[in-house]
Amino acid sequence: MKTIKHSASYALQLTTPIFPINCYIVEEDNYCTLIDCSNRGTVKSIIKAIEKTQLPLKYIILTHAHSDHTGDIQKISLHFPEAEICIGKREYEDSQNDVHNIRMPIKPTTLLSEGDRIGNLLVQETPGHTNGSITLIDQRVGTAYVGDLLQSQGGLSISGDIRWLFPFPAMATVDKHRAIQSVEQLIEKSSPKQIFCGHGSAITYTKENFDRIIARAKKK
C-alpha cells in the first residue's frame, strides 16, 4: 500500500494500487484512530503503518460495512486487542438483518450516532451510500472522512452518480437522493475544508465544485 502523509490534517492515507481503496490513520496527542480497514490482504501494511506512528491504536472506526472497508478487521483487532471497534448504530442493525449486503464481520464495542465524539472526531450521520453510513469530522482542522459518500477516483461525484471510469461506489449505493441530501447537510453543518474519501485522492472543498456535482447528481 502507498502511504500519503497529510501533516496539516494529522492524517496518514493508505491506498491500494490499481483499484484504489483508502483507509486512514488519524493521530491524536497520545493515541491514533484507524478509519476503515481497506480490502482483505492489506493487514500487514496497515499494522506496519500504525506501529510506525509509535502511538497506541485506541479506535477502529468504520464509515460503513462494505467489504472494501471492513477488510481484515478481525486480524487488525487481534493485533490491537485494546482498540475499540466502532460503527454507526443503523449500519450495525442493517448488518444483523442482511440489508443491502451489509456485513459486519466482527462484533463492535461501540455504536455511534449523530453528535457522538471519538477524540477530536465528531460523528455525522450521512446516509445514502448505505442506510447507516457515517462521516467523521476532525474539528481541529475541518477535515471530513466521508467513506463512499463522495469519490474522487474517476471524477469528483456524489455516491450514486456513476462515473464510468470508476463506477463501483455508485453501483453499490442504496439511495442517491439521500446521498445528495447528506452532502448538502455536511456542507451546511460542518463546512469541511478538506475531504478524505474511500476511493481517490483528497478533495479540497470549493463551493463552485460542490454546486456543480450536486447539480449533476440531481439531473440524473
Side-chain angles (χ1 to χ4, degrees), residues 63-64 126 134-136 144-150 186 195-198:
T63 60
H64 63 289
T126 48
I134 60 171
T135 287
L136 301 151
Y145 299 86
V146 300
D148 287 352
L149 178 65
L150 293 156
L186 175 66
I195 296 165
F196 295 114
C197 58

Side-chain angles (χ1 to χ4, degrees), residues 7 9-10 20 26 38 41 47 53 57 60-61 83 99 106 124 127 131 182 186:
S7 299
S9 300
Y10 306 97
V26 180
S38 190
I47 289 172
T53 68
L57 181 67
I60 302 168
I61 308 177
V99 177
I106 190 171
Q124 186 168 335
N131 294 323
S182 288
L186 175 66

Side-chain angles (χ1 to χ4, degrees), residues 32-73:
C32 66
T33 296
L34 176 65
I35 299 177
D36 290 330
C37 296
S38 190
N39 217 346
R40 289 184 178 179
T42 59
V43 60
K44 290 182 180 179
S45 296
I46 293 171
I47 289 172
K48 182 178 179 181
I50 293 168
E51 291 179 338
K52 195 172 181 180
T53 68
Q54 298 184 323
L55 293 168
L57 181 67
K58 191 171 182 179
Y59 301 103
I60 302 168
I61 308 177
L62 298 179
T63 60
H64 63 289
H66 283 157
S67 61
D68 58 338
H69 292 257
T70 59
D72 287 317
I73 190 170

Side-chain angles (χ1 to χ4, degrees), residues 125-143:
E125 294 176 352
T126 48
H129 182 64
T130 67
N131 294 323
S133 290
I134 60 171
T135 287
L136 301 151
I137 312 294
D138 190 331
Q139 297 189 297
R140 295 172 294 183
V141 287
T143 53

Side-chain angles (χ1 to χ4, degrees), residues 3-165:
T3 302
I4 304 167
K5 187 170 180 63
H6 300 275
S7 299
S9 300
Y10 306 97
L12 288 171
Q13 176 183 346
L14 280 68
T15 187
T16 54
I18 304 174
F19 188 99
I21 302 170
N22 299 325
C23 63
Y24 299 92
I25 301 167
V26 180
E27 297 181 1
E28 301 268 359
D29 289 339
N30 54 8
Y31 66 87
C32 66
T33 296
L34 176 65
I35 299 177
D36 290 330
C37 296
S38 190
N39 217 346
R40 289 184 178 179
T42 59
V43 60
K44 290 182 180 179
S45 296
I46 293 171
I47 289 172
K48 182 178 179 181
I50 293 168
E51 291 179 338
K52 195 172 181 180
T53 68
Q54 298 184 323
L55 293 168
L57 181 67
K58 191 171 182 179
Y59 301 103
I60 302 168
I61 308 177
L62 298 179
T63 60
H64 63 289
H66 283 157
S67 61
D68 58 338
H69 292 257
T70 59
D72 287 317
I73 190 170
Q74 302 103 314
K75 294 178 181 178
I76 296 170
S77 179
L78 281 172
H79 194 86
F80 301 102
E82 300 302 315
E84 292 186 33
I85 298 167
C86 311
I87 192 170
K89 181 180 178 182
R90 172 63 187 273
E91 192 77 350
Y92 183 63
E93 290 172 351
D94 280 1
S95 77
Q96 298 304 290
N97 293 294
D98 197 27
V99 177
H100 296 299
N101 294 314
I102 299 300
R103 301 279 189 275
M104 185 59 179
I106 190 171
K107 187 174 181 179
T109 49
T110 304
L111 298 179
L112 301 172
S113 299
E114 178 86 13
D116 287 345
R117 295 175 187 273
I118 301 290
N120 283 295
L121 299 173
L122 175 67
V123 177
Q124 186 168 335
E125 294 176 352
T126 48
H129 182 64
T130 67
N131 294 323
S133 290
I134 60 171
T135 287
L136 301 151
I137 312 294
D138 190 331
Q139 297 189 297
R140 295 172 294 183
V141 287
T143 53
Y145 299 86
V146 300
D148 287 352
L149 178 65
L150 293 156
Q151 69 179 71
S152 58
Q153 187 68 24
L156 179 61
S157 62
I158 296 171
S159 188
D161 180 5
I162 292 180
R163 294 285 191 169
W164 289 110
L165 290 175

